[in-house]
Structure formats: structure tokens, C-alpha cells
Amino acid sequence: MKIRRILATAVAAAVTTPVVFLSAAPAFADTKPSPASTQKPAQGEDDKDDKPTLEELKAAVALAQKEYDEAVVGLAEAKAAVDALSEQDHVLVAAVTGAANAAGEAAKAKTAADEALAKVEKALAELPPEATEEQKAAATTAVAVAKKTAEEAAAAKTAADARLKKASAELGDANLAASKVYALAEKVKKAAAETLAEAREELEFFEEIGGECTEDEALEIALSGPKTVAAGGSAVFSLRVTNTSDRTLDAVEAYTNAGVLPDGKEPIDEDGFFKRYITVEWSSADVLEWTEITEEFDAVEIGTLVKGGHSDVKLRLTVDPEAPVGPGVAWAYGEFENNDGTCGIGEDFAHANFDIAAAKGDKPEPKPTPSETTATPTPAPTHGGNDNTTQQGGSSNTPVRGTLAATGADENLTRLGLAAAATVALGAGAMVVARRRKAGASV
């Protein structure tokens, strides 16, 4: 999915960049620039090639539909060819039938000739001593004639069997070829169906993110949870969505997920680095069973929120036992749609930072003992303008707006600063990727 790949790459860049700039670990000290072929092209060079227009996406759907329709016809023709080879009036089937009948008759003729030969040979052998020379000559002639007839019948049977074998082989080859064509036609149809579905999804996604829904301050998001979650364990976080507008919102959804913050040592692929280690489930007063957040079911269903009303949701985060020890983050934002067709994407974005601890039973890595000459690290600088940001394990509901500011490296920043900066970057990207309008979607 071209558009989604582009956005996924943008999110990866948004998350990775603050980590690279903020981390003072030696692992990043020798980071070298990417080769020119992998660096982002200058603005205006290839951007237009990476972002298809609405007309191009519609044309792609039309082409994919045409190829799919042709594949359907091709599959039908291939099936008809397979079915035809089982019809008695097909030339190859008729040839096999005729050859089989001929072989059967030849077999009967040979049997009869063999029996006749055996009979005259017996008669010759049983001639009495007093038999005349004429009787002996007649019996001998009868044996010779019967032997010749038997030999001719045997040759006829051999020829008939050969014709049957050839006709059967030709029919078998035709069936095999038709079956291969049919299997290939099935694959072509399946591939065409996938291409058509992807083209439709691209068009739908393009129309969704380019629709009339804009950022709106109607929803306030609050997210909090424990400061530490052990690898292999689970923890429950609290999510509250509040309607701060002056009207009832008819259909509210919250988008949420969690992940291990990247350490910069391994690449972030487009399939989602953040979904590999943490499973997120949700439940509420209306939905009591835990429901997993997946690519297909990626929204928390809040429902109707009256003016000033709020909804509380529980989020259960389960960390994979193989998850690396380090900072993790959970995030959430909201969307709404109304019966009158109005809709909005929440400007408010919340995140909760936490530590992923070693799995129970694992020995923690020993901490180095500071020497007398080791300087005491300076506290992470406090940035003004965000009184709602709490310490790790707390929550932030600071709206994310505009573009990411360039961040200078500071070797005294703590891991908290690293996690928070990466989270804010993640929020900006995740909000772009996750925006999907559910109502009125068609495939």
C-alpha cells in the first residue's frame, strides 16, 4: 500500500530522529551519514512521484478492476477447458473411447485365435497311428493356418493397445496442461483481486485523510499508568476521553497503541517497530471483555458523549518476554463523527512513559560504580510551556501541533528526556497515520 508505506516511513523518521539527536550513548557516537542513494531527496525532487493524485488512484482502481475482470474471464475459460476434457464428444475423449473399443475387440480376436490354434494343435497331436497321410497333412495345414491367424490377432492387439496408450497419453497430457492453465488462472485472479483491493484501499485512504475532517479541540485525552512494566508481564493503564465541546458528539472513537522506544541500533521497518513487543487490549463499562487493538480493529469504541461528559477505558498492556529492557510508551488520541455529517480529529494527544524491566527471574545488568572522578550528571533541563507533562509513568495531554522542531544534542539529558522527546515525535506521526474515517467507508 503505497500511501501507507510513505506515512509509515515518515513516522519512523519522526520517531528515530529525536532519539539519534538526544542520545549521548557511545553506540551513536560513530553514526555515519547514509549513502546518498538512501538519503531523503530534496524537496520537490521525488516527492511528487511518491504521492499519487486522486486521479491517479482512481485510474489505478479502474485498471486493477479491468485486470481483475479479465482474470475472471480467463479463469472461467480455463475451467471450461478442464470440464470439456470430461465430455464424451471431445475429440481426445472420443479417440480414447474408440481406441479402447478397438483394443477390446482385438483382445477378443486374439483370444479366439489362440483357442483355435490350441484346438487344431491338440487334434494333430491326437491323430491315431492308423491316420492316413491325407489326414496328417490336413491337420498340419490347419495348425499352420491357425498359427498364422493367432499371430495376426496378436499383432492386431499390440497395435490396438499402442493406439489406446497413445490416445490415453494425449488425453492425459491435455488434462495436465488444462489443469496447469487453470491453476495459473486461479493465481492470476487471486493476484488481481489483491491488487484491486489494495488499489481500492489506497483510494479510500486517500479520500479519508483528504476529507473534510480537521483537527478539533472537542476531545480531551488523559492517559496514565504504572511507571514500570516487566517483560513477560501485563499492566493496566487508564484512558479518559472527555467531550469539551458545547454539543453532544454522536460517535466517538479513541486510537491507542504502545511500544518499545527504538534504541537506534536496529532499523525501523514499515511494518511497525512499535507493534512487535507490546500487545494492547481495552475494555470499558460497555465492552467488558478485553478487546485487542489490531490493524483491522484499531479503535476503542467510546460511543456517544454528551456535552461535558467523559468515558473511562482500561488499557491492558502485555509486554513480550523478549522485549528489550528500556523505555516504553503508550499513546492515544480521539476522533468523532456526528449524525449531521460533521467530524473532527482530536488535537489533544496523550502519552504515558514507563520503564520496561527485565523479566522476572532475569538478573539485572550490574550498574557501574561511579568513581571519585565521575562527574555528577546535571538534571535534565526543564522546558517551559508544558505544565501538564508528568514524570515517567505519568501522562501528558499536551496537544501536538505543527512540525517537529529541530533538537540539539545534550549529553546530560536523561533517559526520561529521550523517551519524552521520542514520544512527542511519535505522537505527531502516529496521529497522521492513524486518522481514518470509519463512517461511510466503502470497498
Side-chain angles (χ1 to χ4, degrees):
M1 296 173 286
K2 192 171 182 182
I3 296 178
R4 293 183 189 275
R5 282 196 292 266
I6 294 170
L7 292 180
T9 303
V11 174
V15 175
T16 308
T17 302
V19 175
V20 174
F21 275 116
L22 289 172
S23 176
F28 298 101
D30 297 328
T31 302
K32 298 179 181 179
S34 302
S37 59
T38 63
Q39 290 181 351
K40 183 178 178 182
Q43 186 173 3
E45 287 183 6
D46 294 331
D47 286 355
K48 59 183 180 182
D49 296 329
D50 291 337
K51 299 177 182 178
T53 64
L54 178 60
E55 290 71 21
E56 289 173 337
L57 290 173
K58 288 182 177 180
V61 171
L63 177 60
Q65 183 68 59
K66 179 176 179 293
E67 292 176 346
Y68 175 77
D69 294 340
E70 291 175 351
V72 170
V73 172
L75 181 61
E77 292 176 348
K79 187 176 186 306
V82 172
D83 294 342
L85 288 170
S86 62
E87 299 294 334
Q88 292 300 315
D89 58 351
H90 191 281
V91 61
L92 294 178
V93 176
V96 171
T97 301
N101 292 335
E105 294 298 323
K108 291 179 182 179
K110 182 180 182 300
T111 299
D114 290 342
E115 290 175 351
L117 176 59
K119 185 177 180 181
V120 297
E121 286 178 336
K122 180 181 180 182
L124 177 61
E126 292 177 349
L127 280 176
E130 64 272 14
T132 64
E133 292 298 326
E134 292 179 352
Q135 289 175 327
K136 291 179 180 179
T140 301
T141 300
V143 169
V145 172
K147 185 177 291 186
K148 181 180 180 181
T149 301
E151 289 174 350
E152 292 175 346
K157 181 180 182 301
T158 300
D161 289 344
R163 287 192 294 271
L164 176 59
K165 182 178 180 180
K166 181 181 179 182
S168 298
E170 290 175 346
L171 178 59
D173 290 344
N175 271 306
L176 180 60
S179 297
K180 287 183 177 179
V181 171
Y182 181 72
L184 179 60
E186 281 188 316
K187 291 181 179 178
V188 171
K189 178 179 176 290
K190 181 181 179 181
E194 292 174 353
T195 300
L196 176 58
E198 183 174 318
R200 286 176 172 174
E201 185 178 0
E202 288 293 335
L203 176 60
E204 177 187 352
F205 186 65
F206 184 94
E207 292 174 336
E208 287 174 357
I209 64 174
E212 297 178 357
C213 283
T214 57
E215 290 186 331
D216 195 292
E217 298 180 352
L219 293 175
E220 182 180 277
I221 305 293
L223 180 61
S224 62
K227 297 180 180 180
T228 304
V229 184
S234 298
V236 176
F237 284 63
S238 298
L239 171 67
R240 170 169 287 192
V241 182
T242 304
N243 178 5
T244 60
S245 70
D246 58 358
R247 58 168 294 180
T248 294
L249 302 179
D250 298 318
V252 177
E253 291 180 337
Y255 290 87
T256 182
N257 218 316
V260 178
L261 288 174
D263 59 5
K265 296 180 182 178
E266 57 180 302
I268 300 176
D269 57 39
E270 62 192 36
D271 294 328
F273 178 93
F274 296 97
K275 296 184 180 180
R276 291 192 300 157
Y277 293 117
I278 301 181
T279 300
V280 180
E281 300 168 287
W282 67 275
S283 68
S284 64
D286 297 324
V287 181
L288 299 179
E289 295 184 358
W290 288 109
T291 303
E292 184 177 350
I293 296 293
T294 64
E295 184 175 352
E296 184 178 1
F297 302 102
D298 58 353
V300 176
E301 300 171 2
I302 302 298
T304 301
L305 276 184
V306 298
K307 173 184 176 181
H310 66 266
S311 177
D312 290 319
V313 177
K314 293 181 179 179
L315 301 179
R316 182 168 66 184
L317 276 58
T318 302
V319 181
D320 189 280
E322 301 299 322
V325 173
V329 62
W331 65 90
Y333 84 101
E335 293 185 6
F336 68 88
E337 293 189 37
N338 297 317
N339 297 332
D340 60 5
T342 58
C343 57
I345 301 168
E347 286 186 344
D348 203 15
F349 169 77
H351 69 272
N353 299 100
F354 55 90
D355 274 325
I356 297 176
K360 293 182 179 179
D362 291 351
K363 293 182 179 179
E365 296 182 3
K367 296 183 179 179
T369 304
S371 64
E372 294 181 359
T373 58
T374 303
T376 304
T378 9
T382 304
H383 300 286
N386 184 3
D387 296 333
N388 294 319
T389 302
T390 66
Q391 296 199 359
Q392 195 160 339
S395 66
S396 170
N397 57 357
T398 305
V400 177
R401 301 184 179 91
T403 58
L404 294 174
T407 308
D410 185 342
E411 61 183 13
N412 292 321
L413 285 176
T414 62
R415 185 174 59 185
L416 171 59
L418 166 63
T423 319
V424 172
L426 171 65
M431 290 179 68
V432 174
V433 175
R435 292 172 187 170
R436 300 181 181 91
R437 291 187 58 192
K438 300 295 182 182
S442 61
V443 178

